Amino acid sequence: MSLKQFFSKYFSNHTETSETHKDPELVTHYYKAKRDEVFHAVESLFPPPSEKAAVSKERGEISINYKGKRKAFVVATVIMVRPFETAVDFSVTTDSGGPVDFGFSHNLVVEAYNKLNRQFTKLEKRR
């Protein structure tokens, strides 16, 4: 892990996944499953006291006010790439009252992906 990656992981209050992320844990995950199944699973990743702020099934977006150890705003995007291939991305911003969350937002994304990995067959990164 480079010094820049270390600082962006622990000294930031925001984590976002992407196709080409330098951190392998934060690369977009693909699952061999129907979009609706994955969408429902993502919705259930954040049970009460967390609250859904907005759900747009058409756009594949779920916004959640996460209320756990800390408060955070989570946006999950679930997109069907092709039949039985669904991509999931997360964007998490921690409401920590300061500019850093000491890795909380990163860990929240990794934990969410781990739960999905146990439910669905993960596909290798697309080329």
Side-chain angles (χ1 to χ4, degrees):
M1 179 183 302
S2 73
L3 193 58
K4 183 179 178 183
Q5 287 173 312
F6 176 82
F7 276 101
S8 68
K9 180 175 179 178
Y10 294 105
F11 296 100
S12 170
N13 70 342
H14 181 77
T15 298
E16 194 163 342
T17 63
S18 69
E19 289 276 331
T20 57
H21 205 287
K22 291 189 188 319
D23 183 339
E25 292 183 310
L26 300 179
V27 172
T28 302
H29 280 45
Y30 291 87
Y31 296 101
K32 185 176 181 175
K34 294 179 184 175
R35 179 184 158 275
D36 289 348
E37 293 171 348
V38 177
F39 193 88
H40 179 69
V42 170
E43 276 186 300
S44 65
L45 286 177
F46 306 99
S50 298
E51 302 166 342
K52 291 177 203 158
V55 176
S56 174
K57 215 166 189 181
E58 299 78 36
R59 287 196 335 225
E61 285 188 358
I62 307 164
S63 301
I64 297 139
N65 290 317
Y66 177 81
K67 296 176 182 174
K69 297 173 198 162
R70 293 186 177 169
K71 292 182 181 179
F73 185 70
V74 179
V75 177
T77 307
V78 180
I79 298 172
M80 183 178 80
V81 179
R82 58 179 66 121
F84 294 99
E85 185 175 343
T86 303
V88 179
D89 274 307
F90 291 99
S91 174
V92 178
T93 305
T94 306
D95 182 15
S96 59
V100 299
D101 68 10
F102 302 105
F104 180 80
S105 57
H106 177 276
N107 292 337
L108 192 61
V109 169
V110 171
E111 184 180 311
Y113 273 149
N114 286 338
K115 288 178 182 176
L116 291 173
N117 291 347
R118 286 192 291 273
Q119 270 186 277
F120 302 104
T121 302
K122 185 179 173 210
L123 299 170
E124 291 304 311
K125 184 179 176 188
R126 297 182 63 227
R127 302 265 177 232

